[in-house]
Amino acid sequence: MTPEQEQLAIEACKSDLSKFNILYKEYVEDVYRYAYSIVGNKNETEEIVSETFLKALQSIKTYQYKGKPLKHWLFIISRNVIYQGYRKPVNLEFDERWHGIEDDNIL
């Protein structure tokens, strides 16, 4: 896709979200490869790609061209999805055996 075609597709999406499939078809493989290179897991990658394109679809109306291809923006979204996923809070259980132990006695 040329930069001019990309701009036309973006503008079409801004007025009609059903046109987003043009951008999806163009960039899904690139985003998949990018995400897979970071997480190395097929199932996680598929979830990341889905979340990336959902977020892109939700934000395409406010997308501003900044001199870089749309793919760059999608990679940033994908990276953010990946890092947010790794920062999800973990449910830790408190072990009662450690209750009341003073810090000085640990070493």
Side-chain angles (χ1 to χ4, degrees), residues 69-86:
L70 181 76
K71 178 170 38 176
H72 182 263
W73 182 62
L74 294 170
F75 288 167
I76 291 170
I77 295 171
S78 182
R79 181 199 62 204
N80 291 342
V81 167
I82 291 166
Y83 292 137
Q84 288 169 357
Y86 286 124

PDB file of all heavy atoms in Angstrom, residues 69-86:
ATOM      1  N   PRO A  69       4.363   5.540   8.638  1.00  0.00           N
ATOM      2  CA  PRO A  69       3.258   4.679   8.201  1.00  0.00           C
ATOM      3  C   PRO A  69       2.347   4.281   9.368  1.00  0.00           C
ATOM      4  O   PRO A  69       2.772   4.243  10.527  1.00  0.00           O
ATOM      5  CB  PRO A  69       3.956   3.447   7.629  1.00  0.00           C
ATOM      6  CG  PRO A  69       5.368   3.822   7.422  1.00  0.00           C
ATOM      7  CD  PRO A  69       5.667   4.946   8.361  1.00  0.00           C
ATOM      8  N   LEU A  70       1.119   3.952   9.043  1.00  0.00           N
ATOM      9  CA  LEU A  70       0.152   3.509  10.044  1.00  0.00           C
ATOM     10  C   LEU A  70       0.665   2.284  10.799  1.00  0.00           C
ATOM     11  O   LEU A  70       0.391   2.112  11.985  1.00  0.00           O
ATOM     12  CB  LEU A  70      -1.186   3.180   9.369  1.00  0.00           C
ATOM     13  CG  LEU A  70      -2.292   2.737  10.306  1.00  0.00           C
ATOM     14  CD1 LEU A  70      -2.850   3.947  11.057  1.00  0.00           C
ATOM     15  CD2 LEU A  70      -3.391   2.036   9.555  1.00  0.00           C
ATOM     16  N   LYS A  71       1.445   1.474  10.114  1.00  0.00           N
ATOM     17  CA  LYS A  71       2.006   0.269  10.729  1.00  0.00           C
ATOM     18  C   LYS A  71       2.797   0.633  11.997  1.00  0.00           C
ATOM     19  O   LYS A  71       2.742  -0.085  12.996  1.00  0.00           O
ATOM     20  CB  LYS A  71       2.901  -0.447   9.720  1.00  0.00           C
ATOM     21  CG  LYS A  71       3.566  -1.668  10.223  1.00  0.00           C
ATOM     22  CD  LYS A  71       4.267  -2.518   9.181  1.00  0.00           C
ATOM     23  CE  LYS A  71       4.983  -1.797   8.103  1.00  0.00           C
ATOM     24  NZ  LYS A  71       5.710  -2.713   7.196  1.00  0.00           N
ATOM     25  N   HIS A  72       3.479   1.740  11.972  1.00  0.00           N
ATOM     26  CA  HIS A  72       4.238   2.193  13.146  1.00  0.00           C
ATOM     27  C   HIS A  72       3.300   2.423  14.330  1.00  0.00           C
ATOM     28  O   HIS A  72       3.593   2.027  15.459  1.00  0.00           O
ATOM     29  CB  HIS A  72       5.000   3.471  12.796  1.00  0.00           C
ATOM     30  CG  HIS A  72       5.836   3.991  13.910  1.00  0.00           C
ATOM     31  ND1 HIS A  72       5.413   4.980  14.756  1.00  0.00           N
ATOM     32  CD2 HIS A  72       7.070   3.634  14.334  1.00  0.00           C
ATOM     33  CE1 HIS A  72       6.344   5.226  15.650  1.00  0.00           C
ATOM     34  NE2 HIS A  72       7.366   4.428  15.418  1.00  0.00           N
ATOM     35  N   TRP A  73       2.176   3.065  14.090  1.00  0.00           N
ATOM     36  CA  TRP A  73       1.165   3.300  15.129  1.00  0.00           C
ATOM     37  C   TRP A  73       0.628   1.977  15.663  1.00  0.00           C
ATOM     38  O   TRP A  73       0.470   1.797  16.871  1.00  0.00           O
ATOM     39  CB  TRP A  73       0.052   4.163  14.539  1.00  0.00           C
ATOM     40  CG  TRP A  73      -1.056   4.538  15.466  1.00  0.00           C
ATOM     41  CD1 TRP A  73      -0.972   5.283  16.607  1.00  0.00           C
ATOM     42  CD2 TRP A  73      -2.442   4.221  15.306  1.00  0.00           C
ATOM     43  NE1 TRP A  73      -2.227   5.445  17.163  1.00  0.00           N
ATOM     44  CE2 TRP A  73      -3.143   4.804  16.380  1.00  0.00           C
ATOM     45  CE3 TRP A  73      -3.159   3.507  14.350  1.00  0.00           C
ATOM     46  CZ2 TRP A  73      -4.516   4.684  16.524  1.00  0.00           C
ATOM     47  CZ3 TRP A  73      -4.525   3.404  14.494  1.00  0.00           C
ATOM     48  CH2 TRP A  73      -5.198   3.985  15.568  1.00  0.00           C
ATOM     49  N   LEU A  74       0.373   1.025  14.761  1.00  0.00           N
ATOM     50  CA  LEU A  74      -0.128  -0.292  15.177  1.00  0.00           C
ATOM     51  C   LEU A  74       0.904  -1.032  16.027  1.00  0.00           C
ATOM     52  O   LEU A  74       0.551  -1.704  16.993  1.00  0.00           O
ATOM     53  CB  LEU A  74      -0.513  -1.123  13.951  1.00  0.00           C
ATOM     54  CG  LEU A  74      -1.700  -0.602  13.153  1.00  0.00           C
ATOM     55  CD1 LEU A  74      -1.833  -1.371  11.834  1.00  0.00           C
ATOM     56  CD2 LEU A  74      -2.982  -0.684  13.953  1.00  0.00           C
ATOM     57  N   PHE A  75       2.181  -0.898  15.692  1.00  0.00           N
ATOM     58  CA  PHE A  75       3.231  -1.524  16.490  1.00  0.00           C
ATOM     59  C   PHE A  75       3.275  -0.917  17.897  1.00  0.00           C
ATOM     60  O   PHE A  75       3.486  -1.631  18.878  1.00  0.00           O
ATOM     61  CB  PHE A  75       4.596  -1.373  15.823  1.00  0.00           C
ATOM     62  CG  PHE A  75       4.792  -2.221  14.597  1.00  0.00           C
ATOM     63  CD1 PHE A  75       5.856  -1.980  13.756  1.00  0.00           C
ATOM     64  CD2 PHE A  75       3.936  -3.264  14.275  1.00  0.00           C
ATOM     65  CE1 PHE A  75       6.067  -2.749  12.622  1.00  0.00           C
ATOM     66  CE2 PHE A  75       4.136  -4.043  13.147  1.00  0.00           C
ATOM     67  CZ  PHE A  75       5.213  -3.780  12.319  1.00  0.00           C
ATOM     68  N   ILE A  76       3.077   0.382  17.998  1.00  0.00           N
ATOM     69  CA  ILE A  76       3.060   1.035  19.310  1.00  0.00           C
ATOM     70  C   ILE A  76       1.880   0.516  20.138  1.00  0.00           C
ATOM     71  O   ILE A  76       2.035   0.198  21.324  1.00  0.00           O
ATOM     72  CB  ILE A  76       3.005   2.563  19.160  1.00  0.00           C
ATOM     73  CG1 ILE A  76       4.326   3.076  18.593  1.00  0.00           C
ATOM     74  CG2 ILE A  76       2.687   3.234  20.500  1.00  0.00           C
ATOM     75  CD1 ILE A  76       4.311   4.531  18.190  1.00  0.00           C
ATOM     76  N   ILE A  77       0.716   0.410  19.513  1.00  0.00           N
ATOM     77  CA  ILE A  77      -0.448  -0.130  20.215  1.00  0.00           C
ATOM     78  C   ILE A  77      -0.157  -1.559  20.667  1.00  0.00           C
ATOM     79  O   ILE A  77      -0.421  -1.921  21.818  1.00  0.00           O
ATOM     80  CB  ILE A  77      -1.710  -0.087  19.336  1.00  0.00           C
ATOM     81  CG1 ILE A  77      -2.110   1.359  19.036  1.00  0.00           C
ATOM     82  CG2 ILE A  77      -2.871  -0.834  20.008  1.00  0.00           C
ATOM     83  CD1 ILE A  77      -3.214   1.490  18.002  1.00  0.00           C
ATOM     84  N   SER A  78       0.395  -2.359  19.779  1.00  0.00           N
ATOM     85  CA  SER A  78       0.709  -3.752  20.100  1.00  0.00           C
ATOM     86  C   SER A  78       1.693  -3.832  21.262  1.00  0.00           C
ATOM     87  O   SER A  78       1.503  -4.619  22.202  1.00  0.00           O
ATOM     88  CB  SER A  78       1.283  -4.442  18.863  1.00  0.00           C
ATOM     89  OG  SER A  78       1.553  -5.783  19.121  1.00  0.00           O
ATOM     90  N   ARG A  79       2.727  -3.025  21.219  1.00  0.00           N
ATOM     91  CA  ARG A  79       3.708  -3.003  22.313  1.00  0.00           C
ATOM     92  C   ARG A  79       3.030  -2.652  23.639  1.00  0.00           C
ATOM     93  O   ARG A  79       3.277  -3.280  24.662  1.00  0.00           O
ATOM     94  CB  ARG A  79       4.807  -1.990  22.000  1.00  0.00           C
ATOM     95  CG  ARG A  79       5.877  -1.941  23.085  1.00  0.00           C
ATOM     96  CD  ARG A  79       6.684  -0.686  23.046  1.00  0.00           C
ATOM     97  NE  ARG A  79       5.796   0.451  23.276  1.00  0.00           N
ATOM     98  CZ  ARG A  79       6.039   1.691  22.883  1.00  0.00           C
ATOM     99  NH1 ARG A  79       7.131   1.959  22.215  1.00  0.00           N
ATOM    100  NH2 ARG A  79       5.191   2.655  23.138  1.00  0.00           N
ATOM    101  N   ASN A  80       2.156  -1.666  23.601  1.00  0.00           N
ATOM    102  CA  ASN A  80       1.447  -1.275  24.826  1.00  0.00           C
ATOM    103  C   ASN A  80       0.544  -2.391  25.336  1.00  0.00           C
ATOM    104  O   ASN A  80       0.465  -2.622  26.544  1.00  0.00           O
ATOM    105  CB  ASN A  80       0.656   0.002  24.593  1.00  0.00           C
ATOM    106  CG  ASN A  80       1.549   1.202  24.399  1.00  0.00           C
ATOM    107  OD1 ASN A  80       2.728   1.187  24.752  1.00  0.00           O
ATOM    108  ND2 ASN A  80       1.003   2.259  23.829  1.00  0.00           N
ATOM    109  N   VAL A  81      -0.128  -3.081  24.439  1.00  0.00           N
ATOM    110  CA  VAL A  81      -0.971  -4.214  24.834  1.00  0.00           C
ATOM    111  C   VAL A  81      -0.118  -5.291  25.494  1.00  0.00           C
ATOM    112  O   VAL A  81      -0.492  -5.848  26.532  1.00  0.00           O
ATOM    113  CB  VAL A  81      -1.736  -4.793  23.617  1.00  0.00           C
ATOM    114  CG1 VAL A  81      -2.360  -6.139  23.939  1.00  0.00           C
ATOM    115  CG2 VAL A  81      -2.781  -3.808  23.124  1.00  0.00           C
ATOM    116  N   ILE A  82       1.044  -5.557  24.918  1.00  0.00           N
ATOM    117  CA  ILE A  82       1.940  -6.579  25.470  1.00  0.00           C
ATOM    118  C   ILE A  82       2.374  -6.190  26.873  1.00  0.00           C
ATOM    119  O   ILE A  82       2.269  -6.984  27.814  1.00  0.00           O
ATOM    120  CB  ILE A  82       3.157  -6.787  24.556  1.00  0.00           C
ATOM    121  CG1 ILE A  82       2.724  -7.458  23.249  1.00  0.00           C
ATOM    122  CG2 ILE A  82       4.239  -7.607  25.265  1.00  0.00           C
ATOM    123  CD1 ILE A  82       3.763  -7.411  22.149  1.00  0.00           C
ATOM    124  N   TYR A  83       2.858  -4.978  27.027  1.00  0.00           N
ATOM    125  CA  TYR A  83       3.372  -4.565  28.337  1.00  0.00           C
ATOM    126  C   TYR A  83       2.270  -4.420  29.374  1.00  0.00           C
ATOM    127  O   TYR A  83       2.490  -4.698  30.539  1.00  0.00           O
ATOM    128  CB  TYR A  83       4.200  -3.292  28.217  1.00  0.00           C
ATOM    129  CG  TYR A  83       5.479  -3.529  27.453  1.00  0.00           C
ATOM    130  CD1 TYR A  83       5.926  -2.634  26.508  1.00  0.00           C
ATOM    131  CD2 TYR A  83       6.238  -4.677  27.662  1.00  0.00           C
ATOM    132  CE1 TYR A  83       7.097  -2.861  25.799  1.00  0.00           C
ATOM    133  CE2 TYR A  83       7.395  -4.922  26.955  1.00  0.00           C
ATOM    134  CZ  TYR A  83       7.827  -3.998  26.030  1.00  0.00           C
ATOM    135  OH  TYR A  83       8.974  -4.234  25.334  1.00  0.00           O
ATOM    136  N   GLN A  84       1.096  -4.013  28.968  1.00  0.00           N
ATOM    137  CA  GLN A  84      -0.019  -3.953  29.910  1.00  0.00           C
ATOM    138  C   GLN A  84      -0.402  -5.357  30.359  1.00  0.00           C
ATOM    139  O   GLN A  84      -0.758  -5.567  31.516  1.00  0.00           O
ATOM    140  CB  GLN A  84      -1.219  -3.243  29.294  1.00  0.00           C
ATOM    141  CG  GLN A  84      -1.001  -1.753  29.166  1.00  0.00           C
ATOM    142  CD  GLN A  84      -2.058  -1.075  28.319  1.00  0.00           C
ATOM    143  OE1 GLN A  84      -2.942  -1.732  27.775  1.00  0.00           O
ATOM    144  NE2 GLN A  84      -1.959   0.231  28.197  1.00  0.00           N
ATOM    145  N   GLY A  85      -0.320  -6.309  29.468  1.00  0.00           N
ATOM    146  CA  GLY A  85      -0.630  -7.694  29.811  1.00  0.00           C
ATOM    147  C   GLY A  85       0.334  -8.273  30.819  1.00  0.00           C
ATOM    148  O   GLY A  85      -0.054  -9.026  31.707  1.00  0.00           O
ATOM    149  N   TYR A  86       1.612  -7.910  30.702  1.00  0.00           N
ATOM    150  CA  TYR A  86       2.598  -8.419  31.633  1.00  0.00           C
ATOM    151  C   TYR A  86       2.542  -7.718  32.980  1.00  0.00           C
ATOM    152  O   TYR A  86       3.090  -8.190  33.945  1.00  0.00           O
ATOM    153  CB  TYR A  86       4.009  -8.299  31.057  1.00  0.00           C
ATOM    154  CG  TYR A  86       4.280  -9.306  29.980  1.00  0.00           C
ATOM    155  CD1 TYR A  86       4.683  -8.915  28.718  1.00  0.00           C
ATOM    156  CD2 TYR A  86       4.111 -10.662  30.218  1.00  0.00           C
ATOM    157  CE1 TYR A  86       4.931  -9.844  27.723  1.00  0.00           C
ATOM    158  CE2 TYR A  86       4.355 -11.598  29.241  1.00  0.00           C
ATOM    159  CZ  TYR A  86       4.767 -11.187  27.996  1.00  0.00           C
ATOM    160  OH  TYR A  86       4.998 -12.101  27.019  1.00  0.00           O
TER     161      TYR A  86
END
